Amino acid sequence: MVLFSLVATHADIDLETVAQLSTGASELATSALSGSPAVTGAVVLATCNRFEIYGEASHPDDVEAARAALVAQISERTGLNEQLVSRSFSTRTGGDVSQHLFAVSSGLDSAVVGEREIAGQVRRALITAQHEGTASSGLVRLFQAASKTAKDVGAQTALGSRGLSIVSVALDLATDLSENADWSTKKAVVFGTGAYAGATMSLLRERGCTDISVFSSSGRAEGFVATRGGTALDADSLPAAVAAADVMIGCSGSDARVEAAELARVRAGSPQTLIAIDLALTHDFDPAVGELDGVELLTLESVRLAAPQEQAESLAQASGIVSGAAAAFEQEREARSVDSAIVALRRHTMNVLDAEMEKVRARHGCTAAAEEVEFALRRMVKQLLHVPTVRARELASNGQQDEYIAALEALYGITVEQPVAAPAAECPVDHSQAGPASAPPRRETA
């Protein structure tokens, strides 16, 4: 089995293209497995500035076919030219897959280096894939190792110790733009009920803002504020709340975009400046709202440019942890790849021993002498198998497992059967009762 990933991020292409690629992301993994035999597992990671697909294939030769199938499906869902879709993704295989995901989960590849939200988004991507039955055993181990690495980076380095995140940097920018820096006097309207909306609510409260209203085009605002506080808005009460707001923050990425003309009509006569913070990849607010009088627009690009640089020492330490974890993960994967060969050799050897012992018992019966012979033979076989087993692990760690398997077939005539991909681990979470982070049909996270 081989892991691969298709990666499109803010570092390589513009955010508009990333947003277009992620259209229909919640259904991609399921359709990929049903649509292509080359794909044996898939996990989709879609955030405010990246769209990444992690897959598993049965053989390295299947990776290109799996990639082509995914590109074709994304092209069909988004309406984008297939060549454009293909150019937008970089492809990773082998150790590059774990190295990249571990860096992403640890916040090293974020617009705000060391940000906290991405680790939770990586965890939720795995939960969603498990819920949908698309997470192969190899991908489960990969994402679990990524989450552990993120925890190690957080515990062992100063990276992110200031609590920086995309949301916090955006609120810092809003503070700088405000005539009054006191958040306790501000009225805020939050669009969305996903993970980013929850993080935004928490940070607003930390800064003293208590007048927070929440709107969800999918009608989930009531349930969201029931556990987090705030006032739920519907289509009828939204215009008045926006008219009175000092800040509105888009975290939903829904189809119900606030248009510039409508905002101008609603805000006509409002004396205070409105700061619009659009953290949604697909834009909750028409970009033209930034041209309106009395409106200041902040976007993900604004956040990226304003994000402070972390200390070089912390970055180096975190990068070392990530590289070490990725190397250990790959060594474990390589070791697992020869397990079938080791089992086959042991089975072959023990079958020969059992056959010989049957001859001994047929001639001498189940005597004490026969038992001594069996004990001696089993001890000898154990000793003989020790070195081949150790060598198998050593060769696998160097990527030479295929040579070991070929040697077994040449010397002993043993055919090593590769294990069938294990079914996806069943997720213990009751998703019918879980929060929006685990509800795959509609993505309301930035």
Side-chain angles (χ1 to χ4, degrees), residues 66-107:
R67 186 188 195 280
L70 286 164
V71 167
Q73 289 196 22
I74 294 169
S75 175
E76 182 179 349
R77 290 177 182 278
T78 62
L80 295 173
N81 179 277
E82 200 164 311
Q83 290 183 337
L84 171 62
V85 173
S86 182
R87 288 197 305 269
S88 299
F89 286 103
S90 62
T91 305
R92 290 171 168 79
T93 57
D96 290 341
V97 177
S98 55
Q99 177 76 30
H100 176 73
L101 180 60
F102 292 5
V104 167
S105 184
S106 301

Side-chain angles (χ1 to χ4, degrees), residues 213-416:
S213 301
V214 178
F215 174 76
S216 170
S217 60
S218 59
R220 294 195 294 223
E222 287 282 359
F224 183 79
V225 301
T227 56
R228 295 173 175 82
T231 303
L233 301 174
D234 56 22
D236 294 330
S237 57
L238 177 62
V242 171
D246 300 286
V247 179
M248 67 177 189
I249 306 172
C251 307
S252 73
S254 70
D255 297 330
R257 189 171 75 165
V258 175
E259 299 295 337
E262 179 64 14
L263 182 61
R265 185 188 66 78
V266 169
R267 293 285 299 182
S270 296
Q272 75 276 28
T273 297
L274 174 68
I275 299 175
I277 304 174
D278 196 347
L279 299 180
L281 186 56
T282 52
H283 292 312
D284 280 340
F285 311 141
D286 178 359
V289 303
E291 300 172 10
L292 298 176
D293 291 337
V295 178
E296 296 282 354
L297 176 64
L298 297 174
T299 64
L300 288 168
E301 182 64 13
S302 307
V303 172
R304 186 184 70 80
L305 294 174
Q309 295 295 316
E310 292 290 337
Q311 291 183 355
E313 183 179 349
S314 296
L315 276 174
Q317 189 179 6
S319 297
I321 293 173
V322 166
S323 295
F329 177 80
E330 289 305 314
Q331 286 180 354
E332 182 184 355
R333 266 185 59 79
E334 297 291 1
R336 284 176 179 273
S337 69
V338 294
D339 284 351
S340 297
I342 293 171
V343 169
L345 176 60
R346 288 180 179 274
R347 184 184 298 117
H348 171 81
T349 307
M350 296 309 294
N351 286 342
V352 172
L353 186 150
D354 290 341
E356 291 302 315
M357 282 308 306
E358 284 299 319
K359 295 176 185 178
V360 171
R361 294 190 189 96
R363 179 175 299 181
H364 300 289
C366 297
T367 61
E371 289 182 0
E372 288 183 14
V373 170
E374 180 174 5
F375 177 78
L377 286 177
R378 290 191 182 280
R379 189 166 133 188
M380 180 184 70
V381 166
K382 184 178 179 181
Q383 291 176 339
L384 288 174
L385 287 174
H386 175 70
V387 172
T389 300
V390 172
R391 286 295 293 153
R393 303 292 187 194
E394 291 174 349
L395 289 169
S397 66
N398 293 325
Q400 297 174 278
Q401 63 273 15
D402 290 342
E403 296 177 19
Y404 183 85
I405 292 171
L408 289 185
E409 293 177 348
L411 293 174
Y412 298 102
I414 297 174
T415 300
V416 179

Side-chain angles (χ1 to χ4, degrees), residues 4-130:
F4 65 93
S5 63
L6 275 61
V7 175
T9 77
H10 64 97
D12 303 314
I13 58 177
D14 62 275
L15 290 174
E16 288 294 337
T17 303
V18 175
Q20 289 177 294
L21 291 170
S22 65
T23 301
S26 60
E27 302 166 353
L28 180 61
T30 301
S31 62
L33 263 67
S34 61
S36 173
V39 183
T40 60
V43 179
V44 174
L45 175 63
T47 75
C48 64
N49 55 10
R50 71 181 64 251
F51 180 48
E52 304 184 355
I53 305 136
Y54 291 82
E56 187 165 22
S58 298
H59 193 273
D61 293 342
D62 294 328
V63 172
E64 190 54 42
R67 186 188 195 280
L70 286 164
V71 167
Q73 289 196 22
I74 294 169
S75 175
E76 182 179 349
R77 290 177 182 278
T78 62
L80 295 173
N81 179 277
E82 200 164 311
Q83 290 183 337
L84 171 62
V85 173
S86 182
R87 288 197 305 269
S88 299
F89 286 103
S90 62
T91 305
R92 290 171 168 79
T93 57
D96 290 341
V97 177
S98 55
Q99 177 76 30
H100 176 73
L101 180 60
F102 292 5
V104 167
S105 184
S106 301
L108 300 186
D109 195 57
S110 297
V112 178
V113 176
E115 59 126 335
R116 299 170 298 178
E117 285 94 348
I118 186 62
Q121 290 167 328
V122 169
R123 287 195 302 272
R124 287 191 292 275
L126 175 60
I127 290 172
T128 299
Q130 289 177 306

